Amino acid sequence: MKVIELHESVTESNDKDAAELRKSLSYEGITLINIMSSPGSGKTTLLSRIIKDIGNKVKIGVIEADIDSSVDAEAIEKLGVKSVQAHTDGMCHMDAGMTRAAIEELGRDFDIIFLENVGNLICPAEFDAGAHINLMISSITEGDDKPLKYPLMFKESDILVVSKIDAMPAFNFDLDKFSERVKGLNPDIKIFPVSAKTGEGMACLENSLLIR
């Protein structure tokens, strides 16, 4: 596992850089999936479950982005998947230039590359990282009012994973109200309630990631 230090490549052309990265990955048959969420939503747990479930069908690589630490990348590598840990030099997001640099370290011999973005619900939504799919995770434990507080993240996501649904009986979470709020912001978003712990809902989510 490599640890790389990245510096924010703030340019006026980030959208152009992202489009070029997306195009080059598509040409090589690689799908880049950008996973975004707040800290503690279960990003690494969900990703580990996906790797265990479909890792025998497709070749997966992982970029773990964080301000510091290499804990998540080490956990992923224990599953037999190549990963790089990207330190963002204090930045709260990955942009297209940073993502490209991380991919160059990881390599391109993959069917799917997962980018586990820095954990917060603001900055990652503002920067196109060059992904084909923006996947957001919102856990039951965070409450059903998240769409009201962080609308841009929901607007920018293609897939919303509602995680930890096995814990729903213990929390005052209204899934119907939550979904209605989300659809009001983004009518085209696909919503998948899942439990990485029990496996409930995982097959539907995984199939959606495999079909492009």
Side-chain angles (χ1 to χ4, degrees):
M1 180 201 71
K2 291 184 177 180
V3 177
I4 59 174
E5 305 295 332
L6 298 177
H7 302 280
E8 184 181 25
S9 56
V10 174
T11 69
E12 294 181 359
S13 62
N14 184 69
D15 287 348
K16 180 182 177 181
D17 293 342
E20 290 176 352
L21 176 58
R22 203 161 22 246
K23 183 178 179 180
S24 69
L25 292 173
S26 294
Y27 180 79
E28 297 178 56
I30 302 168
T31 300
L32 177 61
I33 300 175
N34 179 23
I35 303 177
M36 302 178 288
S37 78
S38 58
S41 67
K43 288 196 300 296
T44 306
T45 300
L46 180 79
L47 181 53
S48 297
R49 178 73 192 225
I50 291 172
I51 290 170
K52 290 175 182 177
D53 289 348
I54 68 172
N56 61 336
K57 299 177 183 178
V58 291
K59 190 169 183 181
I60 296 172
V62 176
I63 299 167
E64 290 286 351
D66 212 336
I67 294 174
D68 205 344
S69 168
S70 59
V71 173
D72 291 339
E74 291 169 1
I76 293 299
E77 287 223 327
K78 289 179 181 178
L79 300 175
V81 170
K82 186 177 180 182
S83 67
V84 295
Q85 181 72 54
H87 289 167
T88 60
D89 192 30
M91 297 297 105
C92 57
H93 66 275
M94 292 281 284
D95 64 17
M98 298 164 78
T99 302
R100 182 185 290 276
I103 290 173
E104 294 310 313
E105 288 291 337
L106 179 69
R108 294 182 177 234
D109 185 26
F110 302 101
D111 301 304
I112 298 176
I113 295 176
F114 287 98
L115 164 61
E116 187 175 333
N117 216 315
V118 180
N120 75 82
L121 293 178
I122 302 175
C123 301
E126 297 175 346
F127 289 84
D128 189 343
H132 298 95
I133 298 172
N134 284 324
L135 186 157
M136 177 191 175
I137 304 172
S138 186
S139 73
I140 294 296
T141 58
E142 295 176 76
D144 55 27
D145 60 350
K146 275 291 185 288
L148 303 177
K149 297 178 178 180
Y150 303 97
L152 183 62
M153 177 62 76
F154 291 88
K155 290 178 180 178
E156 294 297 322
S157 297
D158 305 297
I159 291 176
L160 170 60
V161 174
V162 185
S163 67
K164 305 182 184 180
I165 60 170
D166 54 288
M168 195 179 299
F171 291 87
N172 184 25
F173 186 96
D174 189 326
L175 183 57
D176 290 335
K177 182 185 292 184
F178 177 79
S179 299
E180 182 180 346
R181 287 168 173 168
V182 172
K183 287 290 187 176
L185 295 167
N186 185 349
D188 297 324
I189 197 169
K190 298 177 181 178
I191 303 176
F192 295 92
V194 308
S195 169
K197 180 180 179 180
T198 67
E200 183 178 356
M202 290 300 301
C204 290
L205 169 62
E206 290 156 359
N207 287 337
S208 74
L209 301 181
L210 292 172
I211 298 173
R212 279 203 70 240

